[in-house]
Amino acid sequence: MAVSEQGGGGSPQTELLRHVPFLAGVDEHDLETLVESSVVRTYAPGQPVVEQGDFGHSMFIVMTGSLSISAQLEDGTRKLLGRLGQPGEFFGEFALLGRGQRSATVHSEQQSTLLEIEKRRFELLTRRYAKVLADLETIYHQRAISSYLGMHDFFGLLPPDQLGKLIEGATMRKFARNDLVCRLGDPADTVMIVKDGVLKAVRPSSSGDLSILAYFNTHDLVGAGDLHRRGYDLVALGQVEIIYLDRTLFDALEKTAPEIYAKFGKSVMGDDMNADSNTVMGFAASMLKEGVEAESLLIINLDRCVRCGNCVRACHSRHDYTRLARRGPIFKRRKSLESKQHEHILVPGSCRHCRDPECMIGCPTGAIQRFPDGDVGINDNCIGCDNCARKCPYGNISMMPLPEKDQKDGVTKKAIKCNLCRGHSYSNCVHECPRGAILRVDPLRYFDELSMVMSAEQQAHLRMKEAASKDESKQRIKPRSTTFVLVSLLLGILGLGGIVGLFVLSPGPHTGGSPLGLAYGIVSAGMIGVALFYGARKKMRNVGWGPLEWWTQFHMVIGTVGFAAALAHAGFQITGVLTALLLLLFGLEVITGVLGQYIYMTVPSKLTRLEKDGQAKLIEDLLEEDISLSASIEELKNSLPAKLQAVVASVRGRALAMSTRLSKNYDRNALLLDVTQRVNLDGADMRSRPTLERLIQDLCTHGDVRTQIRLHRSLRTWLVAHLAITGMLVVFLVAHIVTMLMVIG
């Protein structure tokens, strides 16, 4: 393991830093301060210093020793990139500049001593010396271009002299979200490689609207097919790094290296990226517009979600303050690329652990940091300055007020965000969903639609990333398993078959007082007890006893088998009032349970179809909107003449009808048109017409809101009945057992 110790002012390290190129203009006092805040580390021969794919936030300067730099290529082979052995040589500046993952692995070849400089300490220095940052950026660009092209699947095959010319003539730039990379009509004197990020190519259509021509992802080549001018605007959809190749040098490859040049596909434009959300391309466009720079995206399948809020409560239970808001944009996608059926995906408010987190920029205490596995977390030294919360483009960082006992040094609040349940083996929100509706995913690897807009090289990069992934825990990319459903059904069939078979094949008697009947009774009571424990499990949100979805499934099967055992215990006949009541209550419990599952299977999709403006709403949002719309409708109605009020009253039932909205073919625009025609706006005077139009709009919206509220309540009503019947069943069961014991005694 590495040995670490603090550096000291006036030490040999300070003298060493004077010879580091980008630190040449820093005075001795500031160099000593930098050394004092840095760490000296010693590595044994063969020990890795940094590993490719890990996330880091520091760079290293060689003091003594020798190190090798290598990288794993996409075909799985490892390539030696170089060696370091001279005091003052350095590596890791990619991470120091916040560029995310380590691009190579560095091993110590002999015992080596390194000075590690942390990102936050370096940022403090660059506030005084802007040239230090500029010089390091220049070095970073040179190294990044050389490293990237040298490891590239196609450019890496070029002879060293030709590759050297390309590298020498290349430049690199970084763009922020929504920056314009190039404009329509700009000179096409370069070919662009997307080193990291996602770009969108757009061009005004004949109608004046922007038409999306293509999306370009990491490793895509852009502009190879352009002529003299760019035929599109190129927009960054997140933080993007682009390498610019001199077009003359690139085009020369067609003659000097035709086999390699032929490997590059020309820029593909014209895919239907403007399609509506019912298409594969429409969904891909929607997701890319939302942003796919996420390393870990929380998604909820709204066609399975029963709006129970258990995910939010599970987050609160583990962290004392929830980091999840079940509000956000809804996306409609096909269940598979070939399917014509669709499902609705909600992206709730939860940290996405972006590849290049904007929230980390400028944190004054370095409290927000990225761990080697990619998780972004906030440490206890947060001072509540709001900087990260303001910079998060998705609003997924909250400021939590601190209790008085925890307030000190003027710090009254602290930034909080989802930390992927770091320190735990699973994400609690995913683990505690009773329907398996919530999942943590890497969007580029999870959504097949996005592969439709990726180049072959980008897909190869993702396959390599998947193969090299060290951490697939916490449901980041793990698909939802349904094996437990098959297992539970198999056990249920075996249980029911065993009960019926034993009843048919065994000689009588089968009544409750017989040995066999007594055994049936014990099995039934035991099944009820096991099924009842499900309620306790729902309240135990911080236990690793299997996902709640498993418990829900086995709860249903166990209850059904228990009812069959109860029937067998009674000999499949009514022998008394208490027996009849017990069987009736047990039967009602099973029926309400089955009804509840039917409601759970059908209501969520109906709810989702009614979601307004593609935004998920909680029932409290709907209740507030219901009150607001009721007041607005009443005010608008009272402002109309009596004759028009009567007309509106005649169509009110049509506008608010719940049955219309439960139809699979419900179309809000069609309903709006129908109600408008019934009112006959053309017959209204000019002063009343705008009020009527607004009133019709509000009435139809009110119908949507009220239907959603009723559907929300239906998801709870059956459960109230189920629990009430369960309570009565337990009381009667205890009475039955006590009575039987008294009779036997």
Side-chain angles (χ1 to χ4, degrees), residues 519-536:
Y520 284 136
I522 292 172
V523 169
S524 179
M527 291 291 184
I528 292 174
V530 173
L532 283 173
F533 192 71
Y534 172 71

Side-chain angles (χ1 to χ4, degrees), residues 24-102:
V26 180
D27 67 38
E28 184 169 347
H29 173 73
D30 288 323
L31 285 178
E32 289 176 358
T33 302
L34 181 62
V35 168
E36 288 172 354
S37 61
S38 300
V39 179
V40 175
R41 299 191 182 277
T42 302
Y43 293 85
Q47 184 179 355
V49 179
V50 299
E51 295 197 47
Q52 183 180 0
D54 281 353
F55 289 86
H57 49 84
S58 61
M59 69 170 290
F60 298 84
I61 297 176
V62 179
M63 296 174 65
T64 63
S66 174
L67 305 105
S68 64
I69 306 173
S70 63
Q72 180 176 317
L73 304 182
E74 293 181 353
D75 61 4
T77 60
R78 182 161 290 279
K79 181 176 182 179
L80 180 65
L81 302 179
R83 285 187 167 83
L84 300 173
Q86 295 297 318
E89 291 186 314
F90 57 92
F91 62 93
E93 70 280 1
F94 291 17
L96 194 68
L97 293 169
R99 300 304 193 257
Q101 290 175 287
R102 304 284 190 186

Side-chain angles (χ1 to χ4, degrees), residues 199-352:
L199 298 167
K200 175 177 67 175
V202 297
R203 184 169 58 204
S205 63
S206 56
S207 63
D209 297 328
L210 284 179
S211 178
I212 302 173
L213 304 179
Y215 286 95
F216 297 102
N217 300 273
T218 303
H219 298 317
D220 280 347
L221 195 72
V222 186
D226 293 349
L227 298 177
H228 302 293
R229 299 280 173 180
R230 304 291 186 198
Y232 46 83
D233 288 344
L234 204 58
V235 182
L237 293 185
Q239 294 199 57
V240 179
E241 286 185 322
I242 297 176
I243 294 176
Y244 294 85
L245 301 179
D246 182 274
R247 175 171 293 279
T248 304
L249 293 174
F250 178 80
D251 288 343
L253 297 178
E254 187 173 11
K255 293 183 178 179
T256 58
E259 302 86 358
I260 296 174
Y261 183 82
K263 294 178 182 291
F264 292 100
K266 299 299 183 185
S267 303
V268 178
M269 296 285 188
D271 286 337
D272 187 12
M273 298 305 297
N274 301 280
D276 63 45
S277 61
N278 289 329
T279 67
V280 170
M281 285 299 184
F283 173 76
S286 299
M287 281 300 297
L288 288 167
K289 183 179 179 181
E290 174 65 17
V292 293
E293 64 267 35
E295 284 285 321
S296 179
L297 184 70
L298 193 68
I299 61 171
I300 298 177
N301 184 332
L302 288 179
D303 296 323
R304 294 190 59 81
C305 174
V306 295
R307 279 68 167 179
C308 64
N310 216 46
C311 53
V312 178
R313 286 190 289 272
C315 184
H316 186 279
S317 176
R318 175 165 283 179
H319 303 294
D320 298 325
Y321 198 98
T322 188
R323 289 101 186 273
L324 165 64
R326 204 187 60 76
R327 294 180 176 92
I330 299 172
F331 300 98
K332 187 176 181 181
R333 70 184 290 249
R334 293 184 180 180
K335 290 186 176 180
S336 67
L337 293 181
E338 300 78 22
S339 175
K340 293 184 178 180
Q341 294 183 315
H342 292 83
E343 63 184 11
H344 299 84
I345 300 297
L346 165 69
V347 179
S350 179
C351 179
R352 304 181 180 194

Side-chain angles (χ1 to χ4, degrees), residues 374-393:
D375 296 358
V376 179
I378 300 176
N379 296 322
D380 292 335
N381 58 327
C382 172
I383 59 173
C385 67
D386 291 3
N387 184 68
C388 55
R390 289 194 304 270
K391 288 190 174 179
C392 175

